[in-house]
Each structure stands twice: as C-alpha cells, then as structure tokens.
Amino acid sequence: MAADKFIAIAGNPNSGKTTAFNWYTGARQHVGNYPGITVEQKKGTANLDGRNVQLVDLPGTYSLTAYSLEEVVARRVLAEEKPGAVIDVINAAVLERNLYLTVQMLEMGVPVVLALNMMDEAEAQGMKIDVKRLKELMGLTAVPTVARSGQGLQEVLAAAVALSDSSSECRPLEISYGPDIDEALKTMSAEAESANFLTGKYPARWVALKYLEDDEEVMKQGRTVSESVHNSLNATAGKLAAHLKSTLNTYPEAIIADYRYGYISSILRQGVLKEKDDTRNRIAYSDKIDKVLTNTFLGPLILALVLYGMYHVTISIGEYPLGWVEEAFDWLKDVVGDTMQDGLLKSMLTAGIIAGVGGVLTFVPLIMLMFLLISILEDSGYMARVAYMLDRVFRFFGLHGASIMPFIISGGIAGGCAVPGVMATRTLRSPRERLATMLTAPFMACGAKMPVFLLFVTIFFEDNKALIMSGLTIFGWVSALLVARLLRSTVIKGPSTPFVMELPPYRMPTISGVLIHTWERTWQYIKKAGTIILAISILLWAAMAFPELPEEVQETFTSRTAPLEEQLSAFPYKELADERKSLEEELEGVGEGKPEAAAIQARLDAVNEKLEKLPAGKLEAEIEELEGQLEELPEDPVADELRIRIAKLETAMVRLPAGSAGAKALEEQLEAAQTEFRKTPAGSLGVIIAEKREALDALPEKQLEARIAEIENEQAGKALRQSYAGRIGSFLEPITAPAGFDWRTNIALVGGIAAKEVVISTLGTAYALGEIDEDNEATLAERIRADKNWTTANAVALLLFTLLYSPCFVTLVVIKQESGKWRWLFFSLFFNLLLAYGVAVAANQLILRL
Amino acid sequence: MTDSVSLRALKKGQKAVIAAIQADGEMGRRIRDMGLVPGVEIEVVGRAPLRDPVALRLLGFTLTLRNNEADFILVTPA
C-alpha cells in the first residue's frame, strides 16, 4: 500500500459523521479552509493498532450534485485526491435517504465502507436492519456503529484501512436508468472513453451521467479539456433532454434521481429493512418536543427567551473574562511603559501593538462563549427550528430564518459585538443570504458604540435617555433589514437559495463535540485576525503619531514647561509624591499578600507619613478620608434628585446668553437648589470636600502641576491635529460640515474605524484633555456642553453616524475572512461610510430646519 | 394524476403520496436530494408560527420547505 493514502469520512449532515471523526482523532486534528472558499477543511490522525492513519472529514452533504460549495468540495476531494477508502457514515434511522449519497459515491468508483450509525436509535424506533443482507446486495463492508459511544468505529476504520491496502480495483456501480437514458449513456461513455475525456479523474459513464444531469462543474472542466468532445456530449444530452421533455414532460436529472431512489428501495425491500411494527410516528419524542418548541404561540415566546438568554450569557457573562484579558493587557502596557525609555519604540509598543493585539484578544472570551452556545444550539437541533420559525419574516428582506442569530449577537439587543456576530453567520448554508446577513449585522448597536451614545445622550437628551437609547437600537435593526433588502436586489442579486432543510431530531449534544467545535473556531479567529490586526494597528498608530510636531514647536512647549518643572522640583512635595506613585505601582505589580509586598508597603507608609507633614499632602489625605465617608453614607434619594436638578440647570445655563432674563431666572433656581443640597448630609460633606480641594488647588505646587499638565495637553492636542490622522480630520471638515462635524469629531471617527472604543478617547485628546478614561469622562461632557458649536442637530447626526458607519477593523477583517473576499471588506468600509454620511447629513439638516 | 394537488394545499396531519416534482435546476435537485421523489409517502407534521414554512415527515425524518417551494410538488392525498 502507498503510505500517503488517506481515509475520507463522508455522510449526510446530522448523521454523526463529525462525532465519529472526533472519536477517531481526538485532539489530533486541525481545521483550515479549502483554498479560496470558506468551507472548513478538517484533517486529523487516527491510531489503528499502532499505525497512524490520516483522516479527512468531508463537509456533510446529501448528494454530490455540486450545487453547494460543500458538495463541490466533497466531490473534488473524492475525485482529485483519491482517498484510499471512504467511510460513509449513515444515519440508520433514515437509511433510504442516506444511501442516496452512498450510491452516488459508488457510481464515481469510490471504495466505500458503510458505518451504519445510530443503530441504537433505529432499533428503538422499531427498525430492523439486516446488515448481512445489505452487505451482500451492495457488495461492500457495512458495520453497525454508535458513534456517540464509539461502538463499532474501530472495526469500521480497520475495514477501511484494509480496503485501502488491498490492490483490487474498485469497479464503479452501474445502475440502469431506463431505456432512453441507458442508450444515451452507452454512446456518450464510449465517446468519452475513447477520447480519454476526463477519465483520469472520473469513470467515463459517470462523466456521461453528469452531462445528462447538466452538471456545470464537470461541464466546465470538460470544456477546457476538449472543446469538441464537450460539444458532442452536450449535443447528445440536449437531444435526449428535448426528447424526454416532449414525450414525458420531464428532465433527465429527474429521471436519474427517480431511478437512484428506485435502486435503493429495491435493495431495502429485498429483506434488508424490516420494520417490526409500522408505527405511525417513528420519532415520537422529537415530535413531542416540537409540539411545544415550535408551537404557534409558545414557540416564538421560547425563542425570544432563548435568544435573550444567549445574548445575556455571551455579553453579560463574557464581560468578566473580557475584563480580565483587558486588565492583563493594561498591566502589560504599564510594565512596558515603566521599564522602557520614552520614545517612538515605546509609543509603538504600547499604543500600537499592545493596544491593537489586546483589542483582538479581548474578543476571545466573547467568541468562545458564543461559539459554545451556538454549538449547543446547533448540535441539539434547535438552530434548525429557529430558522424554521423565523424564515417568513426574514425572507421578506432577502435573508434566511437563521439570520436572526448573527443579528442578535451583533447588538440586536443593545450591547452585542459584531465580531462574533459576523462569525455566527457560519450557521447559514445559503451563500447569498449569508453574505447579506454578514454585511448588515454591523449596523446593530454594539457594545463599543454604547459609550459614545451614552456620552451624547446624557449631554443632549438628559430627560429622554432610555427612549433615545432604545430608539438607536431599533434604528440599527431597521437599517440592517432595509439595507439587506437593498443589497439582495442589487449587489447580491439572485433568487433565494432553496430553503429545503432537514429538521433533525432533538439530541443531547456531546461535550467533546461542542468543546472541539468551539476551540477550533476560536483558534481560527485568533490566528487570522491577530496577524492582520497587528499590521493595521501599527499603521493606525503611525497615522496618529506622525509627523511629529516640528522641533522648534516642541521646543516652544518645553521652554514653557521647563521653568515650571524647575520651580516644582524645589518643593519637597514633588519628590515625595513621585516616590509615592512609583511605590504604589510597584505594589500593584507585586500583588497583595506576597512577602515582598509587606516591605514595599512599609516604605510607602513612611513616604505617606512624610507627605502628611506637608500642606499639600495633608490636604490630600484629608480629602481622601472625607471621600471615604461620603461613600459610606446611606442612600439618599433627596440628595440624588437635587444633584440631578443642579446638573440640568447648569447645562441649561450654558446655552443661554449670559446676563439675559432667562439666565438670571435659572441662576436663582440654581442657587436655591444648591442651598437645599448643602443641607443634606452628602451635600454638606461635598461642600467641605470642595473647599479643601480648592485650598489644595490654590497651593503653588499644585498650580504648577496643573499648568504643566495644561501645556502638555495642549501639545498633545496640537500634535494630533497636525498628525496624518489630524490632517485627514481637517481635510474632511468641508465634507463633514453638512453633518455638523468639526475636525475633532472627524479624527475621533477616523480613529473609531480601528475600534469604536477609541472615539471617546480620541475626542478627549483632540479637546486637549489628555487621555480620557472613566474618571474624566465628565470633563469631556462639560467641554462639549460648553462648546457652543455642539447643537442637538449635530449630536443626533453623530449618534446616527456612529451607529451606521464603517465596522471596526476587527469586524472588517472577520468579514474578509468569512466571505473569503477582500471585495466585501472594502464594500463594508465604503458603503457603510456613505450610508452613514447620508443619514447624518439628512438628520442634521432636517433638525436645523425644524 | 387527475386528483393531484399542490403540496401547499395539504392540512396539518394530512398524508399524501408525491405524484410529480415540477422543478428543475437547483430547486429541483435540492428537493430530490432530500428524498422527495414520486411515490414517496409524506405527512404534513407542522407549520411555522406564520404558516410558512411547512414541516413534512418522509422516509423517517423531518423536512421543512417554504410554501413557494411546496408549489413545485404535486401530491395525491391519501
């Protein structure tokens, strides 16, 4: 035998094929894609009596007609890679339909070993299969198996290896297709045989059969091999088709299928299949579950619960591990930040590489959880019911019932993520519907868009926060569905893929199957997204960091800060505060409870003691204690309400011209509210804290610090403005003016293409606020409030733009990965930008004119 | 063949035998691949909450297809 021969595993979907493959290979498998297409290619190694056997798991198909990508792939492997033998895993409970694929493989001359799987279920359903008789009639080895427990699998593999080792030629099966077709087949196969037409790959009769079946894939190959033979075969096939159409009003492929099924049922009737009793309903338990789960009223209700539960588990629970990964990367950033010299390399490492790769890896927990749940839903059989129940709705938009899952995960319930969402489109087997779903899922209100929404909704729609937030989510749905409809009637035009789909009986998913599935999909994401994102992160970082400010400009800044720094260092406070900071960081790095921590803590205490003897240190310590007390206070609804009223009044004040009658009235109300607030415990503490803080800020060393920070932020703002990203922002200003965006917003939005999380932090830098985090998001809100250029119209435009514009880079890369084409990445990028721009301009102009 | 009707017309719980498949191309092939060929006995086991698609039982498994796909399938009610 040739050492490089491998065994392929074929079979219908839901036949237990993958379970068998997992049993054989365990962890010794790897998943890739077939070149150029997105069908998964699984290979692995099995062990048979100490000998390694290479296995390939073919995609699950019902037939080998080459209409779907899966069938094309399966057929290509069988014909071109010529496996030594094929293990055909058959669901014994649906023997007749499963043998349809078997017969087609035998016609191709493929050496087949049958694994009659799920024999336990078949028997429980009252079927009795005479395996010996089946073997005799079909002339091949057949072994009863139960893949879930591994029963019989070793025997099947041994038979397959033996078949592969044997030198005997496997003769293709020849079925009679009735006088008309048999006659044509005879002349056609003789012609193909004599011309050596495709016969290196396929048996001649099979080629002839495919010409009669009008098989595009084979005919395309035929045309390239020999135009004349191709034309001649095509002419014969056409003549027969015309004849059959006029005499029997049918097509050759219909007759061929009929005869194939006829052949199968004649075998089964020759004593192979005996049903003990003709029970009306062989899969009664599954029907009983379906009575509830697909019930007209209960079905949608349970579906809503399942979808919500899925979303909740993926996003809410996924948040914890996501937080851990984020923290780990923040820590890494700190370590690099502390140990490396300031400079370009450090900036690239922290702001470019660590932030970028961290961005990719933080999604991993989400993706794992999502695939875990989807695998469970798929393997249990529920996913098919989801598609069944919702198909009528989604079909209207040119989508498929199964489109719901990607939409929900992407943020159909606010707060999802489009990265796992786009990957979830793998459950769709219809290519056009799948692509449309993939391209529209990013319109949903994903979690990273939320902070942007929250910030602006808080500033401009304080009173209708919930309404506007849910309105944005709904707007995401409407956009996704309408755009899907548009795409399906333009760029992804074409009739809907036939829905015809099996509703497999409900089954308990196997743990190993679910885990293997989850891991292999996650790993694919890490590998692919990781490499591309790394490159893009560096590019984006460079756009924000270059060109640097001209040296003379940098010098003007340093010449302003240098004397201040010098004055500051004259204060003993400065040195001690620096020491405190580095000790605190060291402590955090070591972690509490470690033996080294005690020593650091002791040094920190000593520094703190010295600090408290200085006026600034004393005030800081006092403020910290008072703040602690403030937090300990019991909840006080009165104080909370007053606080909100004060905030609202302050916002309203800013929008009125100073000194006007309206402003004066507001001022009086504001003062009254503040007096009232001071009477509450929280208010009185707040007043003391504010006073202390004022005293602290008034200290010369603190004022110096503030001045330095101000100059540095100004420098950062200026640097960003004239970096490439900033120049793009300014360059875009005339274009984005109709939507009401200035250069600051533009840079933030350009940065948001990298990751939507960046929008707020970039806006902060552009407003020269330094890095924005949760602590000073409030200051950004104040800045925007105070900025007279920001109107409600602009805000609405920005909200809609953020919702609809280009997906983030990770999503774009995943779209490329899932669709297999760069084209769709660029389409997503530009089409969504254009759409968002149109909507934003329309909204801005409309509100301005109201 | 005179009393054959479209599969769409069947009610839930009704049984029938397939008389003819009037689709060619991709649709016809998909339908046949799933075992829907003349002579096979089917039963309508359910309809989705919006009455479309329909679920069928044949050859010991459950199949679902859209109403406009069921139109291609002519059946003789049992």
Side-chain angles (χ1 to χ4, degrees):
Chain A
M1 77 135 228
D4 55 346
K5 269 192 189 169
F6 66 97
I7 310 283
I9 302 185
N12 284 190
N14 309 306
S15 63
K17 188 174 64 69
T18 304
T19 313
F21 179 73
N22 288 343
W23 188 88
Y24 282 133
T25 60
R28 289 171 304 165
Q29 52 171 280
H30 58 100
V31 187
N33 277 353
Y34 286 95
I37 45 176
T38 52
V39 178
E40 280 175 3
Q41 180 185 45
K42 289 194 193 178
K43 288 183 173 175
T45 318
N47 193 301
L48 183 77
D49 307 326
R51 178 175 153 189
N52 279 342
V53 183
Q54 298 302 316
L55 290 181
V56 171
D57 189 23
L58 297 178
T61 61
Y62 294 105
S63 168
L64 287 177
T65 47
Y67 255 117
S68 70
L69 277 180
E70 284 83 4
E71 289 177 14
V72 173
V73 165
R75 204 163 80 180
R76 204 177 290 161
V77 173
L78 292 178
E80 288 169 21
E81 297 181 26
K82 301 234 183 263
V86 174
I87 296 176
D88 182 10
V89 181
I90 276 183
N91 176 355
V94 194
L95 191 57
E96 200 163 344
R97 196 203 65 211
N98 276 257
L99 285 174
Y100 190 66
L101 176 69
T102 316
V103 167
Q104 290 185 60
M105 286 197 285
L106 292 175
E107 285 186 290
M108 270 180 86
V110 171
V112 172
V113 174
L114 286 186
L116 290 168
N117 196 29
M118 302 185 187
M119 275 304 262
D120 50 343
E121 277 184 32
E123 273 165 21
Q125 288 166 18
M127 293 171 73
K128 200 162 161 34
I129 298 167
D130 188 338
V131 180
K132 201 164 147 260
R133 189 95 181 101
L134 180 69
K135 283 202 264 195
E136 282 167 17
L137 288 168
M138 293 198 77
L140 40 75
T141 315
V143 182
T145 62
V146 180
R148 291 162 78 90
S149 63
Q151 189 189 316
L153 288 183
Q154 200 68 16
E155 206 181 319
V156 174
L157 185 63
V161 170
L163 185 60
S164 171
D165 288 348
S166 75
S167 51
S168 68
E169 190 73 1
C170 190
R171 283 217 20 235
L173 173 71
E174 290 187 11
I175 300 174
S176 165
Y177 290 106
D180 287 338
I181 291 184
D182 279 350
E183 180 71 35
L185 275 179
K186 212 174 189 178
T187 45
M188 286 165 79
S189 55
E191 188 176 355
E193 190 79 71
S194 62
N196 264 335
F197 183 74
L198 293 175
T199 44
K201 279 186 193 171
Y202 317 109
R205 190 168 188 267
W206 189 85
V207 173
L209 201 53
K210 288 294 137 180
Y211 266 82
L212 291 182
E213 283 184 317
D214 202 18
D215 187 297
E216 277 169 36
E217 162 95 359
V218 170
M219 287 165 74
K220 202 168 75 195
Q221 290 176 27
R223 201 174 303 124
T224 55
V225 172
S226 162
E227 187 93 35
S228 63
V229 183
H230 166 81
N231 287 339
S232 158
L233 290 182
N234 218 0
T236 319
K239 231 183 284 166
L240 179 70
H243 172 72
L244 290 174
K245 184 84 196 158
S246 63
T247 55
L248 297 165
N249 190 26
T250 183
Y251 319 94
E253 48 171 313
I255 298 184
I256 292 170
D258 289 354
Y259 272 92
R260 267 190 204 130
Y261 275 109
Y263 172 77
I264 294 165
S265 64
S266 80
I267 288 180
L268 296 186
R269 259 183 276 119
Q270 289 175 60
V272 172
L273 186 61
K274 283 182 215 121
E275 290 180 42
K276 275 188 233 152
D277 53 322
D278 186 24
T279 30
R280 211 179 72 85
N281 212 343
R282 288 210 312 235
I283 37 187
Y285 73 99
S286 204
D287 281 357
K288 271 185 199 142
I289 303 176
D290 262 334
K291 278 226 166 67
V292 181
L293 291 188
T294 63
N295 177 286
T296 307
F297 305 103
L298 279 177
L301 202 72
I302 295 170
L303 174 63
L305 283 176
V306 169
L307 290 177
Y308 181 75
M310 233 192 98
Y311 159 80
H312 183 79
V313 172
T314 316
I315 305 298
S316 312
I317 298 182
E319 215 169 80
Y320 297 104
L322 189 140
W324 301 332
V325 177
E326 255 172 8
E327 265 166 39
F329 274 95
D330 281 346
W331 175 81
L332 191 64
K333 219 155 128 182
D334 283 346
V335 170
V336 175
D338 289 346
T339 49
M340 278 179 71
Q341 291 278 312
D342 276 345
L344 275 182
L345 186 64
K346 171 177 162 181
S347 162
M348 186 179 91
L349 265 177
T350 53
I353 297 178
I354 297 180
V357 175
V360 170
L361 293 186
T362 44
F363 287 117
V364 167
L366 276 192
I367 287 176
M368 284 191 86
L369 260 174
M370 191 258 327
F371 277 138
L372 186 80
L373 295 174
I374 285 198
S375 298
I376 293 173
L377 289 189
E378 272 188 314
D379 292 359
S380 68
Y382 188 68
M383 195 64 101
R385 269 77 181 182
V386 173
Y388 166 69
M389 282 192 279
L390 287 172
D391 184 66
R392 189 69 199 84
V393 182
F394 282 90
R395 192 201 319 163
F396 180 78
F397 299 101
L399 300 169
H400 185 278
S403 300
I404 182 82
M405 199 58 76
F407 280 155
I408 294 277
I409 293 170
S410 298
I413 306 174
C417 176
V419 174
V422 167
M423 294 179 84
T425 58
R426 285 189 196 176
T427 48
L428 274 121
R429 279 182 161 241
S430 322
R432 285 184 291 266
E433 286 82 350
R434 174 163 184 247
L435 189 58
T437 310
M438 197 184 300
L439 295 177
T440 50
F443 289 129
M444 297 294 172
C446 80
K449 295 173 186 169
M450 284 293 139
V452 186
F453 293 168
L454 273 174
L455 179 72
F456 285 90
V457 169
T458 315
I459 299 174
F460 292 95
F461 305 99
E462 181 76 57
D463 295 326
N464 299 315
K465 234 167 144 175
L467 184 75
I468 302 285
M469 291 299 275
S470 47
L472 283 166
T473 307
I474 293 167
F475 197 82
W477 270 99
V478 172
S479 313
L481 291 177
L482 290 181
V483 171
R485 178 89 206 237
L486 177 77
L487 294 181
R488 286 288 280 113
S489 48
T490 52
V491 277
I492 327 176
K493 205 159 46 186
S496 52
T497 318
F499 182 73
V500 188
M501 180 180 76
E502 187 177 358
L503 291 179
Y506 289 102
R507 285 201 186 94
M508 203 59 171
T510 60
I511 294 171
S512 66
V514 168
L515 290 183
I516 289 176
H517 210 176
T518 305
W519 172 246
E520 69 199 17
R521 287 172 169 187
T522 310
W523 180 237
Q524 259 184 314
Y525 164 79
I526 297 175
K527 262 195 318 200
K528 290 236 176 146
T531 44
I532 304 180
I533 288 295
L534 185 62
I536 291 171
S537 316
I538 295 175
L539 203 75
L540 217 95
W541 163 81
M544 309 253 276
F546 293 103
E548 295 180 283
L549 283 173
E551 231 157 85
E552 59 270 25
V553 180
Q554 287 195 34
E555 263 162 35
T556 59
F557 281 104
T558 31
S559 69
R560 281 162 67 194
T561 52
L564 298 175
E565 298 261 18
E566 214 177 278
Q567 284 178 44
L568 184 62
S569 61
F571 286 91
Y573 167 79
K574 166 75 176 159
E575 198 186 325
L576 284 169
D578 284 349
E579 201 178 339
R580 174 177 60 185
K581 194 174 166 229
S582 76
L583 281 172
E584 275 171 354
E585 270 167 15
E586 208 177 317
L587 193 61
E588 206 174 304
V590 168
E592 265 175 74
K594 295 269 174 64
E596 309 95 280
I600 301 171
Q601 185 66 49
R603 280 161 61 201
L604 186 60
D605 288 343
V607 171
N608 274 333
E609 207 171 302
K610 277 189 219 160
L611 264 173
E612 274 176 43
K613 295 206 176 94
L614 300 169
K618 186 161 175 265
L619 278 168
E620 274 173 356
E622 281 170 7
I623 290 171
E624 199 177 326
E625 201 193 319
L626 285 169
E627 274 175 344
Q629 284 178 25
L630 190 63
E631 258 171 52
E632 307 265 291
L633 281 181
E635 269 192 47
D636 185 350
V638 182
D640 286 344
E641 202 175 303
L642 281 166
R643 199 179 288 130
I644 294 170
R645 201 193 306 163
I646 291 171
K648 272 190 204 163
L649 286 167
E650 279 171 346
T651 320
M653 287 265 300
V654 176
R655 318 219 141 252
L656 287 172
S660 67
K664 277 204 183 117
L666 280 180
E667 210 176 320
E668 273 166 34
Q669 285 181 38
L670 184 61
E671 261 170 42
Q674 278 168 340
T675 324
E676 202 62 22
F677 182 58
R678 274 185 218 115
K679 286 183 193 150
T680 64
S684 62
L685 259 180
V687 171
I688 304 174
I689 294 175
E691 277 166 6
K692 297 252 180 207
R693 200 162 266 154
E694 218 166 287
L696 179 67
D697 289 344
L699 289 173
E701 56 266 45
K702 278 289 164 184
Q703 289 209 321
L704 280 171
E705 271 185 3
R707 285 291 312 282
I708 294 168
E710 208 173 286
I711 296 168
E712 280 172 351
N713 286 342
E714 192 188 323
Q715 185 182 2
K718 203 159 203 169
L720 180 62
R721 168 141 213 193
Q722 64 88 60
S723 69
Y724 292 118
R727 285 176 198 189
I728 294 173
S730 307
F731 171 76
L732 289 175
E733 226 172 32
I735 304 172
T736 57
F741 304 158
D742 65 358
W743 68 272
R744 293 191 182 89
T745 317
N746 290 346
I747 303 182
L749 290 172
V750 169
I753 299 182
K756 297 281 151 75
E757 290 90 339
V758 174
V759 173
I760 298 239
S761 63
T762 315
L763 212 50
T765 314
Y767 271 100
L769 285 172
E771 206 153 291
I772 289 289
D773 53 33
E774 282 148 30
D775 296 335
N776 53 3
E777 214 174 276
T779 30
L780 179 59
E782 270 162 35
R783 273 299 180 88
I784 292 171
R785 249 187 214 130
D787 189 342
K788 294 271 162 40
N789 291 326
W790 273 105
T791 61
T792 311
N794 295 351
V796 172
L798 179 67
L799 287 175
L800 294 178
F801 192 87
T802 308
L803 179 70
L804 301 180
Y805 89 114
S806 167
C808 67
F809 264 129
V810 187
T811 308
L812 285 172
V813 169
V814 172
I815 287 178
K816 192 262 146 188
Q817 184 183 326
E818 294 295 316
S819 67
K821 297 213 168 70
W822 284 99
R823 192 188 332 155
W824 296 117
L825 183 157
F826 290 113
F827 179 85
S828 253
L829 175 65
F830 293 114
F831 175 82
N832 294 14
L833 272 173
L834 225 62
L835 176 77
Y837 177 71
V839 171
V841 170
N844 187 41
Q845 299 298 329
L846 200 73
I847 298 172
L848 283 178
R849 278 166 181 66
L850 278 179
Chain B
M1 288 285 269
T2 44
D3 51 351
S4 60
V5 296
S6 151
L7 174 61
R8 188 202 276 259
L10 292 190
K11 293 194 178 54
K12 192 177 161 183
Q14 212 176 343
K15 284 186 180 181
V17 174
I18 295 178
I21 307 289
Q22 295 182 318
D24 65 342
E26 183 175 9
M27 178 74 72
R29 217 171 277 188
R30 285 258 184 153
I31 289 174
R32 282 186 282 268
D33 283 351
M34 298 300 287
L36 289 165
V37 287
V40 168
E41 193 189 337
I42 57 152
E43 179 191 346
V44 174
V45 288
R47 282 183 190 276
L50 291 168
R51 305 293 120 204
D52 184 16
V54 57
L56 307 176
R57 169 73 31 83
L58 67 150
L59 306 171
F61 73 102
T62 316
L63 183 79
T64 171
L65 40 77
R66 292 172 176 161
N67 276 346
N68 60 7
E69 294 163 355
D71 285 340
F72 292 114
I73 301 168
L74 290 186
V75 296
T76 315

